[in-house]
Amino acid sequence: MRLLLMGPPGAGKGTQAKVVSQKFGIPAISTGDIFRMNVANKTELGVEAQRYMDAGEYVPDSVTNAMVRDRLGEEDAKAGFLLDGYPRTLAQVEELDTILREYGYELDAVVALTADEDELVARLLKRAQIEGRSDDTEEVVRRRQQLYTEQTAPLLDVYRERGLLVDVDGIGDVEAVTGRILEGLGKAG
Ligand code: ADP
């Protein structure tokens, strides 16, 4: 199974990525998590990424694309993968197409979690109190939503036209949303 998980910040991608990837026995690959790990370990990549992340901006495509290419080339991705948080720009879609072609992989489906913006902002501000992520302040949260609407939401149409998109309502408890994803994938497959 080779999946993309898309949706606005706060839609619950990270949570669902973990559960769904476990069900399929494939790695969940989250660009946000990889960036955060690099920031925590103060690697060169982390130092580069942090200033963008803290401002709610996207890390430049050149940096992100190289990272995803490396990660998808690892052994465990041969069994399949669930990409969470990538692609986010049209240039990343094109690069992903190239990477997949090179590795001889094809996507099975693109799951799009949907949720209302006010609900999303409320969730992120609540998470900020619990996890203390440096990009969960109200101003940065709004910026991330805006970037998503401008740059990432249009990608859904690209995948819809390819017949890969599975829309899933992201509002509800974790198990309910997981159930909807699996049901949607069953239908899609
Ligand atoms: P969320 O979607 O909840 O905002 P993520 O953990 O997916 O959070 O991403 C956090 C930050 O990491 C983003 O705001 C961005 O700065 C960076 N990032 C993650 N994925 C990408 C990507 N594909 N392209 C550019 N930047 C990215």
Side-chain angles (χ1 to χ4, degrees):
M1 199 59 145
R2 301 188 185 96
L3 302 171
L4 305 185
L5 186 55
M6 300 187 59
K13 295 188 299 291
T15 307
Q16 294 299 331
K18 286 190 190 86
V19 187
V20 173
S21 63
Q22 239 169 23
K23 290 230 185 273
F24 290 111
I26 54 179
I29 300 175
S30 154
T31 44
D33 282 352
I34 301 175
F35 283 133
R36 275 186 290 280
M37 213 163 58
N38 277 279
V39 169
N41 293 328
K42 299 194 169 58
T43 67
E44 205 178 311
L45 177 72
V47 172
E48 166 82 5
Q50 184 166 25
R51 53 198 168 110
Y52 296 101
M53 297 174 74
D54 284 351
E57 302 297 331
Y58 287 165
V59 178
D61 284 341
S62 55
V63 177
T64 310
N65 285 338
M67 185 176 90
V68 171
R69 171 183 293 273
D70 284 352
R71 181 63 188 87
L72 287 179
E74 285 178 32
E75 188 63 27
D76 63 348
K78 286 185 178 163
F81 53 80
L82 187 162
L83 263 178
D84 156 21
Y86 182 94
R88 285 193 205 223
T89 64
L90 213 49
Q92 291 182 8
V93 170
E94 285 164 14
E95 179 65 13
L96 180 62
D97 286 342
T98 306
I99 297 171
L100 295 178
R101 204 177 318 118
E102 279 174 27
Y103 291 150
Y105 294 156
E106 235 177 277
L107 291 178
D108 293 297
V110 177
V111 175
L113 287 179
T114 57
D116 162 270
E117 173 157 349
D118 289 338
E119 164 86 18
L120 296 171
V121 173
R123 278 192 195 178
L124 289 171
L125 295 178
K126 192 171 150 208
R127 182 174 81 184
Q129 293 170 353
I130 301 164
E131 292 179 14
R133 246 175 71 166
S134 59
D135 60 350
D136 277 347
T137 62
E138 178 148 13
E139 192 192 343
V140 175
V141 163
R142 295 270 177 208
R143 175 63 187 150
R144 282 157 57 207
Q145 298 291 343
Q146 184 190 8
L147 257 188
Y148 177 81
T149 304
E150 288 172 5
Q151 299 211 22
T152 306
L155 307 188
L156 299 179
D157 290 331
V158 173
Y159 289 114
R160 200 186 312 278
E161 277 165 27
R162 294 186 190 181
L164 290 173
L165 202 73
V166 178
D167 281 302
V168 173
D169 178 2
I171 301 293
D173 57 33
V174 173
E175 296 77 35
V177 177
T178 305
R180 285 178 214 144
I181 293 176
L182 297 176
E183 196 198 321
L185 288 175
K187 279 189 199 137

